[in-house]
Amino acid sequence: MVIEVQPPWKMYFDGAAHCGGAGAGIVFVTYQGEVMPYSFMLTQLFSNNVAEYQALILGLEMAVKMKWLQLQVFGDSQLMVHQFLGSYKVKKPELFPYHDYAKKLMGWLDYVTIQHVPRKENKNADALAALASSLTLPDQAQVTSRKKNGDNPLSTTCAMGYF
């Protein structure tokens, strides 16, 4: 009996927030090199750090639900990545629940690494987050809205759809 071990997938994430909106961009790259981009408009206004955490959490939730149990995670937020690596502490109390929940999701994966990348290497996720943060919903938009609940202690609503 031969067991073939597949290489991990890659996940790039980014969040964007400004006075007009907030968004999350996630790009999965399969071990065959196929690219799967996702963009989420966050329907609540957040700080940039919270938008980054939301993007990470959305991507990890997708990976867990799809049973992608081996994942290499890449983000351009030096603060967040170093908080997960343990070289920086999470100091802001409003970030504790996001950090804790993301850690919990990572624990559900068999193999996960997280690494800081320069913004130029994260440009696709950055563009998706920026796009989602700048959108307003027209009346005819097809939108799937989901309230995140269950094990997630964070009450966030996001919208995903074709605009």
Side-chain angles (χ1 to χ4, degrees):
M1 180 163 123
V2 175
I3 298 175
E4 185 178 343
V5 177
Q6 301 293 337
W9 284 31
K10 295 178 181 176
M11 182 186 93
Y12 295 84
F13 72 93
D14 202 8
H18 51 82
C19 61
I26 299 144
V27 177
F28 288 102
V29 181
T30 70
Y31 60 87
Q32 297 103 340
E34 297 172 49
V35 177
M36 300 171 17
Y38 296 90
S39 187
F40 296 89
M41 186 178 92
L42 304 174
T43 58
Q44 298 173 344
L45 294 180
F46 296 110
S47 70
N48 227 25
N49 288 336
V50 171
E52 292 275 354
Y53 268 105
Q54 286 290 348
L56 174 63
I57 287 168
L58 285 164
L60 290 172
E61 285 181 333
M62 292 169 69
V64 167
K65 287 180 183 167
M66 300 291 197
K67 308 246 187 281
W68 299 324
L69 300 177
Q70 297 186 45
L71 194 63
Q72 293 175 317
V73 179
F74 301 94
D76 61 22
S77 170
Q78 192 169 10
L79 174 72
M80 274 191 57
V81 170
H82 284 280
Q83 286 173 340
F84 280 98
L85 296 175
S87 50
Y88 293 178
K89 289 185 178 183
V90 180
K91 293 182 179 178
K92 294 188 175 188
E94 64 269 18
L95 296 180
F96 292 156
Y98 296 97
H99 184 265
D100 293 346
Y101 183 58
K103 281 271 220 205
K104 182 178 184 179
L105 289 168
M106 287 179 174
W108 292 340
L109 300 169
D110 289 343
Y111 171 85
V112 63
T113 62
I114 187 163
Q115 182 178 336
H116 178 258
V117 293
R119 182 165 294 196
K120 68 181 180 182
E121 292 181 30
N122 201 32
K123 62 185 175 188
N124 292 336
D126 180 64
L128 291 167
L131 174 66
S133 73
S134 65
L135 293 175
T136 56
L137 294 175
D139 292 338
Q140 290 80 25
Q142 286 184 300
V143 174
T144 303
S145 180
R146 66 181 185 88
K147 186 82 165 174
K148 294 174 23 175
N149 55 25
D151 288 324
N152 185 346
L154 311 170
S155 177
T156 301
T157 304
C158 63
M160 182 176 95
Y162 303 98
F163 304 99

